[in-house]
Amino acid sequence: MPPPVLKPRTPLPPVVVTRPAAEARVWASALARAGSATTELPLIEFGPPSDMAALKHCREHWTEYAAVMWVSPQAIAAFDVASLMSKGKLPLDWHDFSAIEMSWVDGADARPLRDLGEPQGPRCWVPGPGSARALRVAGVPSVVIDQPRADAEQYDSEALWAVVSEQVRPGFRLLVVRGQSPSASPASSSVEGQGRDWLADQVRAKGGVVHACAAYARSCPRWAVADHVRANAALNADAVWLFSSSEAVAHLARLKPGQDWSGTRALATHPRIALALQTLGFGQVVRSRPSLAEVSSTLADMAPT
């Protein structure tokens, strides 16, 4: 079943979707149906982590933790929760990792939700509804999934902690399944990302123990000439650049060094991303919650009058 066509109050401005390739296709398609001319310019690529043996070890022992925090749908796909729930083996082709569908935009993904087996094992923590749905599609029972309240101002680690903090006691063991950046040490047990660091600190402050598992690697894409042409065309079209990652902002700065962004508009789905865009020099930065409906509504407000 295709996702519903949104009907914004006014036509949407052109949008540059910077999410990773698989997610960018989903968002670009949805925003196109809502009336926007979209350009896909992925600013993050995925691949295998540098330590596959460590990933294998975590997959074999993940049920020994009191809770597992999945930082994103990508982490759930890379850890291959679906095969764990069905007792299968890791089937991922890491050379085609970006082609794996890992994004669910307001329920746009039509795959059925499954509950495989009785609720048991660790609690499953996620920072937002997209990751929660990814777990459900993989077969994780909804009763073991913890996520921020639906009316939370942001879907992030801080909002998640408000829900799960009472679970943590001295000796509580948390596994954080995350991505690995090029600058991160593959052997490091630190939790990457400001939000994840903050949540890990809260768990440790209550006597818990936090371990991290790099399930995939993130990197800056290599743009071809055609990518630069599309980026320049978007700049000339007064497009709104849509960002859901601070790392994507850093990659844009690397790919377009010296670019003057003062006349360019951006939409950020989190305050930390908005700050990164302002620091890079974007002329107008608007914030929105990360749902398709709210992004579409915010874009409609940014359309020329």
Side-chain angles (χ1 to χ4, degrees):
M1 177 185 299
V5 176
L6 298 181
K7 297 180 179 179
R9 297 185 300 274
T10 58
L12 300 185
V15 178
V16 179
V17 183
T18 65
R19 286 173 175 262
E23 296 182 46
R25 286 194 294 272
V26 174
W27 277 84
S29 176
L31 289 172
R33 284 190 294 271
S36 175
T38 59
T39 299
E40 297 173 37
L41 278 175
L43 286 172
I44 295 178
E45 286 186 349
F46 295 130
S50 57
D51 193 342
M52 289 295 291
L55 173 59
K56 181 176 182 292
H57 177 82
C58 288
R59 293 183 80 250
E60 292 172 347
H61 296 278
W62 74 291
T63 57
E64 299 171 10
Y65 289 85
V68 180
M69 179 180 176
W70 316 91
V71 304
S72 65
Q74 292 89 348
I76 294 161
F79 205 80
D80 196 19
V81 176
S83 73
L84 290 174
M85 296 302 297
S86 58
K87 311 302 181 185
K89 295 182 178 180
L90 186 70
L92 295 180
D93 177 0
W94 290 101
H95 297 290
D96 194 30
F97 189 62
S98 64
I100 298 172
E101 193 65 52
M102 293 172 294
S103 177
W104 292 267
V105 182
D106 287 358
D109 183 82
R111 284 170 293 182
L113 303 178
R114 305 180 294 162
D115 276 354
L116 299 180
E118 295 296 322
Q120 56 186 344
R123 303 294 304 178
C124 291
W125 297 1
V126 292
S131 297
R133 180 172 173 81
L135 285 176
R136 290 294 316 282
V137 169
V140 176
S142 58
V143 295
V144 304
I145 300 173
D146 298 305
Q147 60 181 306
R149 292 169 53 92
D151 60 354
E153 182 176 353
Q154 298 292 336
Y155 297 137
D156 56 16
S157 297
E158 290 87 340
L160 174 62
W161 180 245
V163 174
V164 301
S165 61
E166 294 304 314
Q167 297 178 24
V168 181
R169 300 286 189 276
F172 183 95
R173 298 179 71 231
L174 172 68
L175 174 66
V176 179
V177 181
R178 58 169 176 80
Q180 174 189 347
S181 293
S183 59
S185 167
S188 173
S189 62
S190 65
V191 182
E192 182 179 295
Q194 182 176 350
R196 263 71 83 184
D197 282 341
W198 180 88
L199 187 142
D201 288 343
Q202 308 314 304
V203 172
R204 295 186 184 106
K206 296 189 72 170
V209 178
V210 181
H211 295 110
C213 173
Y216 62 98
R218 296 188 304 271
S219 62
C220 181
R222 295 182 179 180
W223 274 9
V225 172
D227 297 311
H228 286 280
V229 169
R230 287 187 293 143
N232 291 335
L235 289 169
N236 293 332
D238 192 28
V240 176
W241 292 60
L242 175 60
F243 285 89
S244 59
S245 165
S246 298
E247 194 166 14
V249 180
H251 290 170
L252 180 63
R254 185 184 308 174
L255 290 164
K256 299 285 287 182
Q259 175 68 43
D260 179 6
W261 298 102
S262 61
T264 308
R265 301 179 296 166
L267 191 158
T269 60
H270 193 278
R272 283 190 285 268
I273 304 170
L275 179 60
L277 289 163
Q278 291 164 350
T279 301
L280 184 57
F282 271 76
Q284 180 186 10
V285 179
V286 178
R287 283 169 43 191
S288 167
R289 281 164 50 109
S291 71
L292 174 60
E294 295 193 44
V295 166
S296 178
S297 177
T298 302
L299 286 169
D301 291 338
M302 299 175 72
T305 56

